[in-house]
Amino acid sequence: MRAHTLLFGALLGLAIAGPPFIVRVSAQPQAAAHPGEYAPADIAYGARLYDAQCTTCHGANGDGVGGVDLRSGRFRNAVTDQDLTRVVTAGIQGTGMQAFKLDQSELAGIVAYLRNMNSFDRGSVKPGDADRGRAVFDGKGTCARCHRVGDQGSRAAPDLSDVGATRSAGSLLRSLTEPTSQMFPINRPVRVVTRDGKVINGRRLNEDTYTVQLIDDQERLVSFVKSDLREYTILTVSPMPSYKSTLTDAELADVVAYLLSLKGR
Ligand code: HEC
Ligand code: HEC
């Protein structure tokens, strides 16, 4: 609800804001991997979910149900990924295949795993550990100096309390190594220069045709009438540092496991 209002406000503002403000907006960011490609992090997440929820009937090798071979890559009831999502979320009427309640991140994982079950090598992937990931989040990663989870951390950057329900494992991992590639339009940083020359950097909480509300890098709420501003620029590079070289692969996997465990309040 709130996210929609914010997004709508932002779109409206962007559409109407013209000169005398400087508004620079780049092309849409790449939100997900190319269709047909599945991020290893998604496949690994899907494998964990499969083991926990599907093996009782389908077995570890996907051939536990007569007439169904999940590893074959051919499905009687599904051709596209969308079909697979439908089979898993709606079930198959009149059979033992029940409907599963899974969020966006989980569905991305299950579909990626079903598509790669045949070649996925469990031995080659060390699954991340959410508890260790939390320790990295609070410690070495210093994520809480910008982000909030539950009632702890800063409001300078987006609240991550339910990020594990909406972002796929692959997208979360890329967020950590190449933040700009996964940035949503509403999260683009803005730079404001007031008429008397004061510069404020922050992110948008809300925006309409005439006004914009920001939270600045000191976590202060500030509101502006756009026509009072000398400059209003929407930037296209994420202010978040890349953790590509500061965290090890194992630490990154742990942080992703922790983020995936954040499924809302
Ligand atoms: C309680 C048993 C049971 C569980 C648990 C179960 N399934 Fe099934 N599943 C079935 C049965 C039985 C069928 C075959 C239905 C039919 O006759 O068409 C099936 C069919 C399917 C199909 C369609 C196969 C095809 O060839 O079209 C997919 C995909 C599938 N299951 C995925 C899953 C996934 C993913 C999970 C775990 C999230 C899961 N199932 C959990 C019993 C189960
Ligand atoms: C210097 C501040 C800063 C630090 C430190 C930081 N981030 Fe971020 N992060 C941001 C900002 C600002 C955004 C919003 C822009 C974007 O999406 O890139 C963001 C975005 C994200 C997103 C995407 C959120 C969404 O809803 O799209 C995730 C996930 C994330 N950060 C995780 C982390 C994790 C995990 C760490 C620690 C390992 C971390 N961040 C450290 C500032 C920071």
Side-chain angles (χ1 to χ4, degrees), residues 137-183:
F137 189 96
D138 292 331
K140 186 175 174 185
T142 64
C143 313
R145 87 185 144 96
C146 296
H147 289 286
R148 196 166 183 84
V149 173
D151 56 6
Q152 271 170 25
S154 163
R155 289 191 169 86
D159 189 316
L160 299 179
S161 302
D162 61 0
V163 78
T166 54
R167 300 280 296 246
S168 71
S171 166
L172 288 170
L173 181 59
R174 281 196 68 197
S175 248
L176 299 177
T177 56
E178 299 167 59
T180 298
S181 74
Q182 303 299 299
M183 184 163 61

mmCIF file of all heavy atoms in Angstrom, residues 137-183:
data_model
loop_
_atom_site.group_PDB
_atom_site.id
_atom_site.type_symbol
_atom_site.label_atom_id
_atom_site.label_comp_id
_atom_site.label_asym_id
_atom_site.label_seq_id
_atom_site.Cartn_x
_atom_site.Cartn_y
_atom_site.Cartn_z
ATOM 1 N N PHE A 137 26.381 -8.740 8.944
ATOM 2 C CA PHE A 137 25.533 -7.565 8.742
ATOM 3 C C PHE A 137 25.772 -6.534 9.852
ATOM 4 O O PHE A 137 25.964 -5.352 9.595
ATOM 5 C CB PHE A 137 24.062 -8.008 8.745
ATOM 6 C CG PHE A 137 23.085 -6.942 8.337
ATOM 7 C CD1 PHE A 137 22.634 -6.865 7.023
ATOM 8 C CD2 PHE A 137 22.594 -6.026 9.256
ATOM 9 C CE1 PHE A 137 21.715 -5.894 6.636
ATOM 10 C CE2 PHE A 137 21.676 -5.051 8.871
ATOM 11 C CZ PHE A 137 21.240 -4.985 7.565
ATOM 12 N N ASP A 138 25.777 -7.011 11.088
ATOM 13 C CA ASP A 138 25.942 -6.102 12.228
ATOM 14 C C ASP A 138 27.404 -5.732 12.476
ATOM 15 O O ASP A 138 27.694 -4.691 13.051
ATOM 16 C CB ASP A 138 25.380 -6.745 13.505
ATOM 17 C CG ASP A 138 23.867 -6.889 13.446
ATOM 18 O OD1 ASP A 138 23.221 -6.058 12.770
ATOM 19 O OD2 ASP A 138 23.330 -7.830 14.057
ATOM 20 N N GLY A 139 28.315 -6.596 12.048
ATOM 21 C CA GLY A 139 29.730 -6.376 12.341
ATOM 22 C C GLY A 139 30.506 -5.859 11.146
ATOM 23 O O GLY A 139 30.362 -4.705 10.746
ATOM 24 N N LYS A 140 31.286 -6.754 10.558
ATOM 25 C CA LYS A 140 32.195 -6.390 9.471
ATOM 26 C C LYS A 140 31.550 -5.580 8.333
ATOM 27 O O LYS A 140 32.154 -4.662 7.794
ATOM 28 C CB LYS A 140 32.789 -7.691 8.911
ATOM 29 C CG LYS A 140 33.859 -7.507 7.877
ATOM 30 C CD LYS A 140 34.445 -8.860 7.492
ATOM 31 C CE LYS A 140 35.415 -8.703 6.344
ATOM 32 N NZ LYS A 140 35.908 -10.015 5.864
ATOM 33 N N GLY A 141 30.318 -5.931 7.966
ATOM 34 C CA GLY A 141 29.657 -5.242 6.844
ATOM 35 C C GLY A 141 29.161 -3.851 7.197
ATOM 36 O O GLY A 141 28.879 -3.053 6.312
ATOM 37 N N THR A 142 29.022 -3.565 8.467
ATOM 38 C CA THR A 142 28.440 -2.311 8.991
ATOM 39 C C THR A 142 27.196 -1.876 8.202
ATOM 40 O O THR A 142 27.013 -0.705 7.910
ATOM 41 C CB THR A 142 29.462 -1.138 9.023
ATOM 42 O OG1 THR A 142 29.865 -0.812 7.687
ATOM 43 C CG2 THR A 142 30.666 -1.476 9.873
ATOM 44 N N CYS A 143 26.357 -2.846 7.864
ATOM 45 C CA CYS A 143 25.160 -2.548 7.074
ATOM 46 C C CYS A 143 24.182 -1.676 7.863
ATOM 47 O O CYS A 143 23.478 -0.855 7.277
ATOM 48 C CB CYS A 143 24.459 -3.842 6.665
ATOM 49 S SG CYS A 143 25.552 -5.112 5.987
ATOM 50 N N ALA A 144 24.146 -1.856 9.177
ATOM 51 C CA ALA A 144 23.161 -1.152 10.004
ATOM 52 C C ALA A 144 23.455 0.347 10.118
ATOM 53 O O ALA A 144 22.607 1.098 10.555
ATOM 54 C CB ALA A 144 23.079 -1.788 11.388
ATOM 55 N N ARG A 145 24.654 0.757 9.689
ATOM 56 C CA ARG A 145 24.889 2.205 9.746
ATOM 57 C C ARG A 145 24.077 2.914 8.667
ATOM 58 O O ARG A 145 23.909 4.134 8.697
ATOM 59 C CB ARG A 145 26.381 2.519 9.675
ATOM 60 C CG ARG A 145 26.987 2.648 8.317
ATOM 61 C CD ARG A 145 28.506 2.827 8.437
ATOM 62 N NE ARG A 145 29.184 2.151 7.367
ATOM 63 C CZ ARG A 145 29.586 2.749 6.243
ATOM 64 N NH1 ARG A 145 29.400 4.033 6.087
ATOM 65 N NH2 ARG A 145 30.181 2.056 5.302
ATOM 66 N N CYS A 146 23.558 2.185 7.693
ATOM 67 C CA CYS A 146 22.669 2.781 6.688
ATOM 68 C C CYS A 146 21.271 2.157 6.692
ATOM 69 O O CYS A 146 20.302 2.833 6.372
ATOM 70 C CB CYS A 146 23.261 2.615 5.291
ATOM 71 S SG CYS A 146 24.827 3.478 5.049
ATOM 72 N N HIS A 147 21.181 0.851 6.975
ATOM 73 C CA HIS A 147 19.915 0.123 6.824
ATOM 74 C C HIS A 147 19.266 -0.214 8.151
ATOM 75 O O HIS A 147 19.953 -0.404 9.155
ATOM 76 C CB HIS A 147 20.150 -1.203 6.098
ATOM 77 C CG HIS A 147 20.471 -1.044 4.655
ATOM 78 N ND1 HIS A 147 19.528 -0.706 3.720
ATOM 79 C CD2 HIS A 147 21.637 -1.198 3.977
ATOM 80 C CE1 HIS A 147 20.101 -0.658 2.528
ATOM 81 N NE2 HIS A 147 21.386 -0.943 2.655
ATOM 82 N N ARG A 148 17.946 -0.377 8.089
ATOM 83 C CA ARG A 148 17.174 -0.753 9.253
ATOM 84 C C ARG A 148 16.580 -2.149 9.068
ATOM 85 O O ARG A 148 16.119 -2.489 7.987
ATOM 86 C CB ARG A 148 16.034 0.253 9.416
ATOM 87 C CG ARG A 148 15.369 0.246 10.744
ATOM 88 C CD ARG A 148 14.519 1.508 10.849
ATOM 89 N NE ARG A 148 13.903 1.587 12.148
ATOM 90 C CZ ARG A 148 14.505 2.083 13.220
ATOM 91 N NH1 ARG A 148 15.731 2.560 13.113
ATOM 92 N NH2 ARG A 148 13.882 2.113 14.381
ATOM 93 N N VAL A 149 16.616 -2.953 10.104
ATOM 94 C CA VAL A 149 15.914 -4.239 10.124
ATOM 95 C C VAL A 149 15.123 -4.272 11.422
ATOM 96 O O VAL A 149 15.695 -4.115 12.497
ATOM 97 C CB VAL A 149 16.896 -5.433 10.073
ATOM 98 C CG1 VAL A 149 16.148 -6.746 10.279
ATOM 99 C CG2 VAL A 149 17.639 -5.466 8.740
ATOM 100 N N GLY A 150 13.796 -4.458 11.307
ATOM 101 C CA GLY A 150 12.958 -4.401 12.498
ATOM 102 C C GLY A 150 13.060 -3.013 13.103
ATOM 103 O O GLY A 150 12.882 -2.010 12.425
ATOM 104 N N ASP A 151 13.400 -2.949 14.390
ATOM 105 C CA ASP A 151 13.467 -1.615 15.012
ATOM 106 C C ASP A 151 14.909 -1.187 15.267
ATOM 107 O O ASP A 151 15.188 -0.359 16.107
ATOM 108 C CB ASP A 151 12.631 -1.571 16.301
ATOM 109 C CG ASP A 151 13.043 -2.645 17.294
ATOM 110 O OD1 ASP A 151 14.066 -3.347 17.012
ATOM 111 O OD2 ASP A 151 12.380 -2.793 18.321
ATOM 112 N N GLN A 152 15.849 -1.784 14.512
ATOM 113 C CA GLN A 152 17.244 -1.409 14.714
ATOM 114 C C GLN A 152 17.926 -0.960 13.435
ATOM 115 O O GLN A 152 17.630 -1.477 12.372
ATOM 116 C CB GLN A 152 18.014 -2.603 15.293
ATOM 117 C CG GLN A 152 17.952 -2.577 16.809
ATOM 118 C CD GLN A 152 18.477 -3.848 17.426
ATOM 119 O OE1 GLN A 152 19.280 -4.538 16.818
ATOM 120 N NE2 GLN A 152 18.014 -4.143 18.620
ATOM 121 N N GLY A 153 18.836 -0.010 13.576
ATOM 122 C CA GLY A 153 19.609 0.456 12.442
ATOM 123 C C GLY A 153 19.161 1.830 11.989
ATOM 124 O O GLY A 153 18.300 2.456 12.601
ATOM 125 N N SER A 154 19.770 2.272 10.899
ATOM 126 C CA SER A 154 19.551 3.625 10.406
ATOM 127 C C SER A 154 18.448 3.672 9.354
ATOM 128 O O SER A 154 18.173 2.673 8.683
ATOM 129 C CB SER A 154 20.857 4.144 9.797
ATOM 130 O OG SER A 154 20.607 5.257 8.979
ATOM 131 N N ARG A 155 17.850 4.856 9.184
ATOM 132 C CA ARG A 155 16.826 5.037 8.149
ATOM 133 C C ARG A 155 17.397 5.708 6.905
ATOM 134 O O ARG A 155 16.650 6.026 5.981
ATOM 135 C CB ARG A 155 15.685 5.896 8.692
ATOM 136 C CG ARG A 155 14.840 5.174 9.717
ATOM 137 C CD ARG A 155 13.569 5.976 10.002
ATOM 138 N NE ARG A 155 12.620 5.214 10.778
ATOM 139 C CZ ARG A 155 12.631 5.138 12.104
ATOM 140 N NH1 ARG A 155 13.546 5.775 12.797
ATOM 141 N NH2 ARG A 155 11.727 4.413 12.742
ATOM 142 N N ALA A 156 18.694 5.916 6.873
ATOM 143 C CA ALA A 156 19.283 6.618 5.731
ATOM 144 C C ALA A 156 19.067 5.845 4.428
ATOM 145 O O ALA A 156 18.872 6.433 3.379
ATOM 146 C CB ALA A 156 20.774 6.847 5.972
ATOM 147 N N ALA A 157 19.101 4.511 4.487
ATOM 148 C CA ALA A 157 18.910 3.667 3.309
ATOM 149 C C ALA A 157 17.613 2.862 3.494
ATOM 150 O O ALA A 157 17.059 2.832 4.592
ATOM 151 C CB ALA A 157 20.110 2.740 3.134
ATOM 152 N N PRO A 158 17.143 2.193 2.433
ATOM 153 C CA PRO A 158 15.865 1.474 2.540
ATOM 154 C C PRO A 158 15.832 0.447 3.677
ATOM 155 O O PRO A 158 16.836 -0.190 3.975
ATOM 156 C CB PRO A 158 15.740 0.777 1.179
ATOM 157 C CG PRO A 158 16.564 1.578 0.249
ATOM 158 C CD PRO A 158 17.688 2.136 1.063
ATOM 159 N N ASP A 159 14.657 0.324 4.293
ATOM 160 C CA ASP A 159 14.393 -0.657 5.342
ATOM 161 C C ASP A 159 14.442 -2.060 4.713
ATOM 162 O O ASP A 159 13.827 -2.303 3.687
ATOM 163 C CB ASP A 159 12.987 -0.367 5.897
ATOM 164 C CG ASP A 159 12.674 -1.169 7.141
ATOM 165 O OD1 ASP A 159 12.976 -2.381 7.153
ATOM 166 O OD2 ASP A 159 12.128 -0.577 8.093
ATOM 167 N N LEU A 160 15.183 -2.961 5.325
ATOM 168 C CA LEU A 160 15.353 -4.297 4.739
ATOM 169 C C LEU A 160 14.517 -5.363 5.452
ATOM 170 O O LEU A 160 14.711 -6.557 5.219
ATOM 171 C CB LEU A 160 16.836 -4.700 4.763
ATOM 172 C CG LEU A 160 17.797 -3.810 3.974
ATOM 173 C CD1 LEU A 160 19.235 -4.312 4.098
ATOM 174 C CD2 LEU A 160 17.403 -3.737 2.498
ATOM 175 N N SER A 161 13.561 -4.937 6.289
ATOM 176 C CA SER A 161 12.831 -5.897 7.121
ATOM 177 C C SER A 161 12.097 -6.988 6.341
ATOM 178 O O SER A 161 11.881 -8.067 6.867
ATOM 179 C CB SER A 161 11.820 -5.175 8.002
ATOM 180 O OG SER A 161 12.464 -4.221 8.803
ATOM 181 N N ASP A 162 11.680 -6.703 5.103
ATOM 182 C CA ASP A 162 11.004 -7.768 4.343
ATOM 183 C C ASP A 162 11.636 -8.000 2.974
ATOM 184 O O ASP A 162 11.008 -8.497 2.057
ATOM 185 C CB ASP A 162 9.501 -7.503 4.230
ATOM 186 C CG ASP A 162 9.204 -6.207 3.493
ATOM 187 O OD1 ASP A 162 10.161 -5.526 3.076
ATOM 188 O OD2 ASP A 162 8.009 -5.887 3.342
ATOM 189 N N VAL A 163 12.904 -7.649 2.861
ATOM 190 C CA VAL A 163 13.578 -7.757 1.560
ATOM 191 C C VAL A 163 13.659 -9.221 1.104
ATOM 192 O O VAL A 163 13.693 -9.510 -0.087
ATOM 193 C CB VAL A 163 14.978 -7.085 1.621
ATOM 194 C CG1 VAL A 163 16.016 -7.952 2.306
ATOM 195 C CG2 VAL A 163 15.437 -6.651 0.251
ATOM 196 N N GLY A 164 13.650 -10.152 2.058
ATOM 197 C CA GLY A 164 13.763 -11.577 1.717
ATOM 198 C C GLY A 164 12.500 -12.170 1.130
ATOM 199 O O GLY A 164 12.504 -13.314 0.679
ATOM 200 N N ALA A 165 11.406 -11.416 1.129
ATOM 201 C CA ALA A 165 10.169 -11.917 0.523
ATOM 202 C C ALA A 165 10.008 -11.414 -0.897
ATOM 203 O O ALA A 165 9.243 -11.969 -1.674
ATOM 204 C CB ALA A 165 8.958 -11.497 1.359
ATOM 205 N N THR A 166 10.724 -10.358 -1.232
ATOM 206 C CA THR A 166 10.470 -9.714 -2.516
ATOM 207 C C THR A 166 11.628 -9.805 -3.499
ATOM 208 O O THR A 166 11.423 -9.741 -4.699
ATOM 209 C CB THR A 166 10.139 -8.225 -2.317
ATOM 210 O OG1 THR A 166 11.190 -7.623 -1.563
ATOM 211 C CG2 THR A 166 8.846 -8.050 -1.548
ATOM 212 N N ARG A 167 12.851 -9.920 -3.004
ATOM 213 C CA ARG A 167 13.992 -9.955 -3.922
ATOM 214 C C ARG A 167 14.527 -11.369 -4.014
ATOM 215 O O ARG A 167 14.660 -12.052 -3.010
ATOM 216 C CB ARG A 167 15.100 -9.030 -3.391
ATOM 217 C CG ARG A 167 14.664 -7.571 -3.264
ATOM 218 C CD ARG A 167 14.712 -6.870 -4.582
ATOM 219 N NE ARG A 167 16.050 -6.788 -5.078
ATOM 220 C CZ ARG A 167 16.724 -5.651 -5.221
ATOM 221 N NH1 ARG A 167 16.176 -4.511 -4.910
ATOM 222 N NH2 ARG A 167 17.929 -5.658 -5.691
ATOM 223 N N SER A 168 14.873 -11.793 -5.224
ATOM 224 C CA SER A 168 15.393 -13.144 -5.390
ATOM 225 C C SER A 168 16.792 -13.234 -4.813
ATOM 226 O O SER A 168 17.484 -12.225 -4.628
ATOM 227 C CB SER A 168 15.417 -13.525 -6.867
ATOM 228 O OG SER A 168 16.427 -12.802 -7.528
ATOM 229 N N ALA A 169 17.231 -14.457 -4.538
ATOM 230 C CA ALA A 169 18.570 -14.675 -3.994
ATOM 231 C C ALA A 169 19.635 -14.099 -4.926
ATOM 232 O O ALA A 169 20.589 -13.454 -4.486
ATOM 233 C CB ALA A 169 18.797 -16.170 -3.770
ATOM 234 N N GLY A 170 19.449 -14.330 -6.220
ATOM 235 C CA GLY A 170 20.427 -13.843 -7.186
ATOM 236 C C GLY A 170 20.503 -12.325 -7.194
ATOM 237 O O GLY A 170 21.592 -11.743 -7.264
ATOM 238 N N SER A 171 19.340 -11.687 -7.105
ATOM 239 C CA SER A 171 19.313 -10.227 -7.107
ATOM 240 C C SER A 171 19.942 -9.675 -5.823
ATOM 241 O O SER A 171 20.657 -8.669 -5.855
ATOM 242 C CB SER A 171 17.864 -9.756 -7.259
ATOM 243 O OG SER A 171 17.758 -8.393 -6.958
ATOM 244 N N LEU A 172 19.705 -10.323 -4.712
ATOM 245 C CA LEU A 172 20.307 -9.868 -3.451
ATOM 246 C C LEU A 172 21.827 -9.964 -3.504
ATOM 247 O O LEU A 172 22.537 -9.048 -3.076
ATOM 248 C CB LEU A 172 19.769 -10.689 -2.274
ATOM 249 C CG LEU A 172 18.307 -10.403 -1.892
ATOM 250 C CD1 LEU A 172 17.798 -11.410 -0.886
ATOM 251 C CD2 LEU A 172 18.162 -8.976 -1.361
ATOM 252 N N LEU A 173 22.320 -11.056 -4.065
ATOM 253 C CA LEU A 173 23.770 -11.201 -4.155
ATOM 254 C C LEU A 173 24.361 -10.108 -5.036
ATOM 255 O O LEU A 173 25.376 -9.489 -4.699
ATOM 256 C CB LEU A 173 24.132 -12.594 -4.697
ATOM 257 C CG LEU A 173 25.620 -12.893 -4.824
ATOM 258 C CD1 LEU A 173 26.326 -12.765 -3.472
ATOM 259 C CD2 LEU A 173 25.856 -14.285 -5.403
ATOM 260 N N ARG A 174 23.692 -9.827 -6.160
ATOM 261 C CA ARG A 174 24.203 -8.761 -7.034
ATOM 262 C C ARG A 174 24.100 -7.389 -6.382
ATOM 263 O O ARG A 174 24.909 -6.510 -6.639
ATOM 264 C CB ARG A 174 23.471 -8.768 -8.377
ATOM 265 C CG ARG A 174 23.998 -9.853 -9.312
ATOM 266 C CD ARG A 174 23.577 -9.616 -10.725
ATOM 267 N NE ARG A 174 24.195 -8.431 -11.324
ATOM 268 C CZ ARG A 174 23.748 -7.848 -12.422
ATOM 269 N NH1 ARG A 174 22.675 -8.303 -13.023
ATOM 270 N NH2 ARG A 174 24.368 -6.797 -12.910
ATOM 271 N N SER A 175 23.083 -7.217 -5.538
ATOM 272 C CA SER A 175 22.962 -5.967 -4.793
ATOM 273 C C SER A 175 24.219 -5.704 -3.964
ATOM 274 O O SER A 175 24.624 -4.569 -3.778
ATOM 275 C CB SER A 175 21.772 -6.038 -3.829
ATOM 276 O OG SER A 175 20.746 -5.180 -4.215
ATOM 277 N N LEU A 176 24.801 -6.771 -3.460
ATOM 278 C CA LEU A 176 25.976 -6.627 -2.601
ATOM 279 C C LEU A 176 27.253 -6.394 -3.385
ATOM 280 O O LEU A 176 28.161 -5.710 -2.932
ATOM 281 C CB LEU A 176 26.145 -7.869 -1.722
ATOM 282 C CG LEU A 176 24.986 -8.161 -0.771
ATOM 283 C CD1 LEU A 176 25.219 -9.442 0.002
ATOM 284 C CD2 LEU A 176 24.781 -6.999 0.180
ATOM 285 N N THR A 177 27.331 -6.966 -4.585
ATOM 286 C CA THR A 177 28.576 -6.840 -5.347
ATOM 287 C C THR A 177 28.523 -5.713 -6.375
ATOM 288 O O THR A 177 29.542 -5.106 -6.680
ATOM 289 C CB THR A 177 28.929 -8.170 -6.043
ATOM 290 O OG1 THR A 177 27.823 -8.567 -6.856
ATOM 291 C CG2 THR A 177 29.226 -9.261 -5.025
ATOM 292 N N GLU A 178 27.325 -5.451 -6.916
ATOM 293 C CA GLU A 178 27.155 -4.348 -7.882
ATOM 294 C C GLU A 178 25.859 -3.613 -7.551
ATOM 295 O O GLU A 178 24.858 -3.773 -8.254
ATOM 296 C CB GLU A 178 27.014 -4.883 -9.309
ATOM 297 C CG GLU A 178 28.180 -5.657 -9.848
ATOM 298 C CD GLU A 178 27.747 -6.381 -11.135
ATOM 299 O OE1 GLU A 178 27.316 -5.688 -12.085
ATOM 300 O OE2 GLU A 178 27.797 -7.607 -11.165
ATOM 301 N N PRO A 179 25.848 -2.816 -6.486
ATOM 302 C CA PRO A 179 24.604 -2.195 -6.014
ATOM 303 C C PRO A 179 23.832 -1.433 -7.107
ATOM 304 O O PRO A 179 22.619 -1.576 -7.202
ATOM 305 C CB PRO A 179 25.077 -1.233 -4.922
ATOM 306 C CG PRO A 179 26.371 -1.799 -4.458
ATOM 307 C CD PRO A 179 26.998 -2.461 -5.661
ATOM 308 N N THR A 180 24.524 -0.698 -7.941
ATOM 309 C CA THR A 180 23.821 0.121 -8.930
ATOM 310 C C THR A 180 22.980 -0.720 -9.884
ATOM 311 O O THR A 180 21.897 -0.314 -10.302
ATOM 312 C CB THR A 180 24.830 0.976 -9.722
ATOM 313 O OG1 THR A 180 25.483 1.845 -8.793
ATOM 314 C CG2 THR A 180 24.144 1.818 -10.789
ATOM 315 N N SER A 181 23.451 -1.932 -10.190
ATOM 316 C CA SER A 181 22.748 -2.772 -11.169
ATOM 317 C C SER A 181 21.381 -3.200 -10.670
ATOM 318 O O SER A 181 20.525 -3.564 -11.469
ATOM 319 C CB SER A 181 23.593 -4.007 -11.498
ATOM 320 O OG SER A 181 23.548 -4.925 -10.416
ATOM 321 N N GLN A 182 21.152 -3.187 -9.366
ATOM 322 C CA GLN A 182 19.885 -3.671 -8.814
ATOM 323 C C GLN A 182 19.040 -2.550 -8.223
ATOM 324 O O GLN A 182 18.052 -2.809 -7.541
ATOM 325 C CB GLN A 182 20.161 -4.717 -7.722
ATOM 326 C CG GLN A 182 20.985 -5.890 -8.185
ATOM 327 C CD GLN A 182 20.305 -6.666 -9.300
ATOM 328 O OE1 GLN A 182 19.226 -7.205 -9.136
ATOM 329 N NE2 GLN A 182 20.930 -6.695 -10.478
ATOM 330 N N MET A 183 19.437 -1.313 -8.462
ATOM 331 C CA MET A 183 18.749 -0.205 -7.788
ATOM 332 C C MET A 183 17.368 0.063 -8.396
ATOM 333 O O MET A 183 17.237 0.229 -9.600
ATOM 334 C CB MET A 183 19.627 1.044 -7.873
ATOM 335 C CG MET A 183 19.063 2.233 -7.136
ATOM 336 S SD MET A 183 20.308 3.515 -6.848
ATOM 337 C CE MET A 183 20.781 3.964 -8.512
#
